[in-house]
Amino acid sequence: MAMIGSFALLVGIGEWLLGTRLAAAVTVVGQLVGVLVAAGFLLSVRGTGWRWAVDLSQRLDMGFSAGAMAVLAVASAVLRPPWRLRVRLLLGLYVIVSVVYLGSLADFEHFLVVALGLAAGPRLTRHLGVREPGRPSRREWRLLAVGGLVLIVVGTALSYFLPSDGPLGDTGDAGNSLIDVATVVVLGALLVNGIRKGHRVAWRWAVGLSALNLVLGLLVLVLAIVIAVLKPVDARLDLSSTFVADRLIWVALLVVLVAGSAAFRVPSRRKRRGTGTGTDRDTAVDLLQQHGGSTVSWMATWPENRYFGTDDGRSCQAWQAHAGVAIGLGEAIGPPEDRAAALREFARSSEMSGLVPCVFSASDATAREAREAGWLTVQIAEDTLVDLPDLEFRGKAWQDVRSALNKAGKQSITFRLVTLADERWSLVAQVREISEQWVGDKGLPEMGFTLGGIDEALDPQVRVGLAEDADGVIQGVTSWLPVHAPGGAVRGWTLDVMRRRDDGAFRPVVEFLIASSCLAFKDDGATGVSLSGAPLARTGKGEGAAALDRLLDTLGARLEPLYGFRSLHSFKAKFQPRYEPMHLLYRDEADLPRIGLALTKAYLPDTSVRELLQLVRSG
């Protein structure tokens, strides 16, 4: 009954995703290919004395599971991101573990058809209009690495407690002791949480262990070859299947860690400390609540940032290091009268460390103080501000917003303003799915720096707006960062995440979410909201270097087809905002090329210089 039920489930999923005719064809052909290729392989190696192959060639397989696995492998190609990657990864891990650690005839057939199905799936489903898979997001890279670590831990435990016979021999490793197994389990458990959060220290440890296992495997392999050559009869070195399989998994994990290295940039608490006062995130939050901050100040609390503290402990500057540049995020957090002094200290400390100082997204007031101190400035974006006390969606200018609110009522779309971290896990999963679907469908590098994601939205201090239909399906989501007044009160909110379900029936969901959030914040006593500044989008020319102005305009135009910054800026005009300039502060025109590269790396940390050039050219 279990075999029949699993067949019906897997083939049913395939029929739902592929259609009856294609699902039926893949199931039948997959079963035939699995059986015939397995039989042909076993026939070709039957004279080698390979114990596993000889034993397997004498067994029968009566099920139709190979066909079911084949249709699931092909159907995985039509899933939306991020589920496409997850399902294909899960299938691959399952068949590899099964064939190595169990090694039955059915497991071997599954391995063959899944490998062929995963490879052929994109081509077989091309007529269904499936989009090309995008690169994994930062979270996907972290999950891939976590999956590799979990596989190593589970495989080590299984091989010790439940040894069996596989194609590589006995899976029980006689060289392993309970202490060895416990060591692997403890190390894996310690690394999993750090890798999941993207910590750089955990990444370095994982890379080191992976490289060590790779070197160990190569040394043992060379030793085995040398012994076999020198003493082919009298001596040989037995390599258990567990040893070989574990080394292969460590190699695969090393590849994932290196390829996705940009996803593991969160510095340790010690590295995030600055000079003088030993400033960290908690201190930055305390200063922010004590003295208030700008509309971008809460972004300073995000985990990728480091913190510079002034000598008197009254101010701190959040910053990131890229391409030899110390990029300060917004003005220093602290008393307004101390910001000029904090800027001087930050510049001096950066230069003593061999870094070029600059500040990104500084306000008009800070830009004026910087110019008086000899700095140069250029406008790089515009903050879009909506004042709440007198907000009413009346008049022709608000027609689109009123239409969105009216359509929501007609389609039973409701609005909730929540703390996402307190919501049930299934709802959070829906929100993650919408966000990662948006990133994956674009097939573009995921952006960072002043552009947060769902991880940042899970901060308990962040409010999240949800548009939910009558069936409990989330149609869209926005997240709002707090803007503090001196004394700790929240005086406003800044829009960060803005996502909608691609296949949702309610198209004006973002207008509905922003309008509903504004009304809710108004009722709570907030004085205004910021719809945030879109990078490389301005209504006019900024003050500063003409060459940099031209560069920003050109880069914005080239990236517009890819990221739509200017279209987003125009969209926000529906809410009748007032605009305030946001500036880049720098010391010398000669620093601009390096600063431009550093800012690009800050926003696109997963992208190489070559890929950046390709993106610009494709634009």
Side-chain angles (χ1 to χ4, degrees):
M1 289 300 296
M3 184 180 298
I4 296 174
S6 62
F7 176 83
L9 176 63
L10 298 183
V11 176
I13 293 174
E15 183 178 9
W16 175 51
L17 294 172
L18 303 176
T20 302
R21 296 178 64 180
L22 181 57
V26 171
T27 303
V28 174
V29 172
Q31 179 69 25
L32 291 175
V33 167
V35 171
L36 295 178
V37 172
F41 175 81
L42 293 174
L43 182 64
S44 66
V45 300
R46 64 179 179 178
T48 63
W50 188 358
R51 189 179 65 182
W52 171 81
V54 172
D55 179 68
L56 214 61
S57 64
Q58 300 172 2
R59 297 182 180 273
L60 298 176
D61 178 24
M62 300 297 294
F64 214 77
S65 57
M69 294 295 290
V71 74
L72 184 61
V74 172
S76 67
V78 307
L79 294 174
R80 288 182 174 273
W83 298 107
R84 180 188 303 163
L85 175 63
R86 293 173 180 174
V87 171
R88 291 167 75 83
L89 174 65
L90 186 62
L91 276 173
L93 291 176
Y94 168 75
V95 296
I96 290 173
V97 170
S98 296
V99 77
V100 170
Y101 290 97
L102 299 178
S104 70
L105 181 56
D107 294 322
F108 184 48
E109 293 171 355
H110 296 168
F111 174 80
L112 294 172
V113 298
V114 167
L116 293 173
L118 293 178
R123 182 178 296 273
L124 294 176
T125 58
R126 185 181 302 170
H127 67 285
L128 298 177
V130 179
R131 299 180 184 180
E132 289 295 322
R135 67 180 65 218
S137 64
R138 285 192 290 274
R139 184 167 180 267
E140 292 298 321
W141 280 120
R142 295 171 186 176
L143 289 177
L144 286 172
V146 167
L149 285 170
V150 170
L151 182 59
I152 290 170
V153 171
V154 172
T156 302
L158 285 177
S159 64
Y160 183 82
F161 293 105
L162 297 173
S164 60
D165 196 17
L168 301 179
D170 185 5
T171 62
D173 191 346
N176 268 354
S177 67
L178 185 58
I179 295 178
D180 296 328
V181 175
T183 301
V184 172
V185 171
V186 170
L187 283 176
L190 291 174
L191 288 176
V192 160
N193 193 50
I195 289 294
R196 181 182 65 84
K197 294 181 177 180
H199 287 166
R200 197 66 171 178
V201 171
W203 177 85
R204 287 170 178 160
W205 273 96
V207 168
L209 288 173
S210 301
L212 180 63
N213 275 273
L214 173 60
V215 172
L216 176 62
L218 291 175
L219 289 177
V220 172
L221 179 61
V222 170
L223 181 60
I225 294 174
V226 170
I227 291 177
V229 171
L230 296 180
K231 297 182 178 180
V233 176
D234 299 328
R236 66 186 180 89
L237 183 63
D238 268 332
L239 298 181
S240 71
S241 66
T242 300
F243 180 87
V244 176
D246 285 352
R247 299 297 83 71
L248 292 176
I249 297 172
W250 278 109
V251 170
L253 177 60
L254 180 61
V255 171
V256 169
L257 291 168
V258 173
S261 60
F264 306 93
R265 292 182 177 273
V266 179
S268 66
R269 181 177 294 271
R270 181 179 61 83
K271 286 291 184 66
R272 280 180 282 183
R273 293 183 182 274
T275 62
T277 60
T279 306
D280 56 14
R281 181 186 184 276
D282 293 338
T283 304
V285 172
D286 291 340
L287 289 172
L288 182 59
Q289 293 176 342
Q290 181 180 352
H291 300 287
S294 69
T295 57
V296 301
S297 290
W298 193 256
M299 298 173 188
T301 68
W302 290 352
E304 286 80 6
N305 294 314
R306 304 180 186 183
Y307 301 94
F308 166 82
T310 57
D311 291 338
D312 59 11
R314 287 164 53 89
S315 302
C316 75
Q317 175 71 63
W319 65 286
Q320 294 186 15
H322 297 277
V325 177
I327 309 173
L329 175 56
E331 52 255 35
I333 301 171
E337 62 271 17
D338 290 355
R339 286 175 183 166
L343 181 61
R344 288 195 300 270
E345 289 191 41
F346 172 65
R348 183 172 63 250
S349 175
S350 300
E351 291 169 346
M352 290 178 64
S353 301
L355 301 174
V356 174
C358 70
V359 175
F360 188 81
S361 293
S363 66
D364 250 351
T366 302
R368 284 193 298 270
E369 293 178 353
R371 285 193 290 268
E372 292 173 0
W375 288 63
L376 302 175
T377 69
V378 64
Q379 182 184 336
I380 42 83
E382 284 176 328
D383 202 357
T384 49
L385 304 171
V386 179
D387 297 317
L388 296 181
D390 299 322
L391 180 64
E392 293 182 350
F393 301 132
R394 295 181 180 178
K396 185 177 180 180
W398 295 99
Q399 180 61 46
D400 289 344
V401 175
R402 288 199 305 272
S403 296
L405 293 170
N406 293 334
K407 288 180 180 178
K410 294 177 181 178
Q411 297 186 27
S412 300
I413 303 294
T414 58
F415 170 79
R416 288 199 297 136
L417 193 61
V418 304
T419 301
L420 189 61
D422 295 336
E423 293 296 304
R424 63 187 186 278
W425 71 267
S426 57
L427 186 143
V428 176
Q430 281 197 65
V431 172
R432 283 197 182 278
E433 177 190 2
I434 292 171
S435 181
E436 293 177 6
Q437 185 183 97
W438 182 85
V439 173
D441 280 351
K442 283 182 175 293
L444 297 171
E446 187 178 11
M447 302 193 77
F449 195 37
T450 64
L451 301 174
I454 301 305
D455 288 340
E456 288 75 18
L458 284 167
D459 187 328
Q461 302 299 318
V462 174
R463 305 296 298 276
V464 172
L466 302 174
E468 194 170 3
D469 66 18
D471 297 323
V473 177
I474 303 300
Q475 296 295 318
V477 57
T478 54
S479 71
W480 299 87
L481 313 178
V483 181
H484 287 88
V490 176
R491 62 180 175 87
W493 299 87
T494 298
L495 178 63
D496 183 27
V497 172
M498 185 168 53
R499 304 279 193 268
R500 65 177 176 86
R501 189 176 292 278
D502 283 349
D503 55 356
F506 183 50
R507 304 306 296 176
V509 64
V510 176
E511 292 95 327
F512 167 70
L513 281 167
I514 294 177
S516 300
S517 298
C518 287
L519 293 176
F521 292 139
K522 177 184 176 181
D523 292 340
D524 288 343
T527 60
V529 299
S530 166
L531 302 184
S532 69
L536 307 177
R538 303 173 291 173
T539 56
K541 299 293 183 183
E543 297 180 3
L548 185 58
D549 264 342
R550 290 195 297 272
L551 173 62
L552 293 173
D553 288 337
T554 301
L555 188 59
R558 292 292 179 90
L559 293 181
E560 174 61 21
L562 303 174
Y563 289 102
F565 295 137
R566 296 180 176 181
S567 301
L568 178 61
H569 195 62
S570 299
F571 166 81
K572 293 174 182 178
K574 294 182 179 181
F575 295 90
Q576 314 305 311
R578 57 183 176 87
Y579 299 98
E580 289 189 0
M582 306 176 77
H583 302 270
L584 170 69
L585 316 181
Y586 59 101
R587 299 290 297 272
D588 189 333
E589 289 91 343
D591 295 332
L592 289 177
R594 178 177 289 188
I595 291 174
L597 177 60
L599 288 171
T600 306
K601 292 298 293 181
Y603 273 109
L604 297 167
D606 301 343
T607 311
S608 66
V609 174
R610 180 179 179 182
E611 289 174 317
L612 290 173
L613 292 175
Q614 291 175 344
L615 283 174
V616 173
R617 290 169 182 167
S618 68

